[in-house]
Structure formats: C-alpha cells, structure tokens
C-alpha cells in the first residue's frame, strides 16, 4: 500500500527487487498503469555528478494507458516534489546499513 500525502491510499504490486540495485512497483487506476522504478548505482570517484564517488539514486515514473496524458500532469508534480524526501530517507537507511552516512 502506498499512501501519498493528502491522498487516499493505493494498492501497489512489487514487480521486482534486486538487492542493493533496484526495486520497481506498479499501481493501476482505471485504465492507467503507473510504474515507479528506484535504482541505485555505484559512482566511482572523479565523476561529474559525484566527484568523491558514492551511490547515484535514480527514480523513474512511467505512466501508460488510454488516460496517461491526463494522469501525468495530475500526479507528476506530487511525484517530483516527493523525490527529495524519498532520496534523503533512502540515503539515511543506506548509511545506517553501511555505517557511513553518505
């Protein structure tokens, strides 16, 4: 179950999970499928995005179906606004597991 801020809870189906790499879930609303993919990838020191190296966290949302053109604008802003908190929480959990809060 996913509980968006100030919205009703929605059922989700976990489609896949690869430990320390990726997890993906999907929810269906009417004729639309909303798939969210969270991916972690190692970044070696010296890269442009993380000069000291670390873990790159990528979130992707794919909306498909007959009404996708309506749903994108309706949920896109909420999805994007929630990314900083989700990434911070994921980084916090990863730091607790590894012993280094980066």
């Amino acid at each position: 179950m996913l509980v968006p801020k100030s919205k009703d809870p929605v059922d989700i189906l976990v489609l896949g999970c690869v430990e320390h790499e990726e997890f993906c879930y999907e929810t269906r609303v009417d004729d639309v499928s909303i798939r969210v993919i969270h991916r972690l990838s190692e970044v070696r020191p010296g890269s442009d995005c993380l000069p000291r190296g670390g873990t790159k966290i990528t979130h992707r949302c794919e909306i498909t179906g007959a009404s996708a053109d309506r749903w994108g604008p309706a949920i896109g802003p909420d999805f994007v606004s929630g990314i900083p908190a989700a990434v911070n929480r994921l980084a916090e959990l990863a730091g607790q597991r590894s012993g280094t809060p980066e």
Side-chain angles (χ1 to χ4, degrees):
M1 173 114 3
L2 180 67
V3 185
K5 288 182 179 176
S6 62
K7 304 259 191 288
D8 292 332
V10 293
D11 289 329
I12 63 170
L13 174 65
V14 175
L15 299 175
C17 181
V18 178
E19 188 174 16
H20 305 293
E21 290 182 26
E22 174 180 299
F23 69 96
C24 176
Y25 62 86
E26 179 180 69
T27 189
R28 293 186 175 271
V29 181
D30 299 328
D31 61 351
V32 172
S33 169
I34 303 166
R35 183 175 291 190
V36 179
I37 302 109
H38 306 275
R39 188 168 289 136
L40 305 174
S41 55
E42 180 183 356
V43 176
R44 298 198 181 274
S47 76
D48 289 338
C49 67
L50 289 169
R52 295 184 310 164
T55 301
K56 179 179 176 184
I57 302 171
T58 305
H59 294 263
R60 179 179 173 89
C61 181
E62 300 171 350
I63 304 170
T64 57
S67 303
D69 58 342
R70 278 189 309 125
W71 279 89
I75 69 165
D78 284 342
F79 179 77
V80 170
S81 71
I83 290 175
V87 170
N88 287 336
R89 181 67 177 138
L90 185 56
E92 178 184 309
L93 292 169
Q96 288 173 1
R97 183 175 175 98
S98 70
T100 55
E102 287 192 43

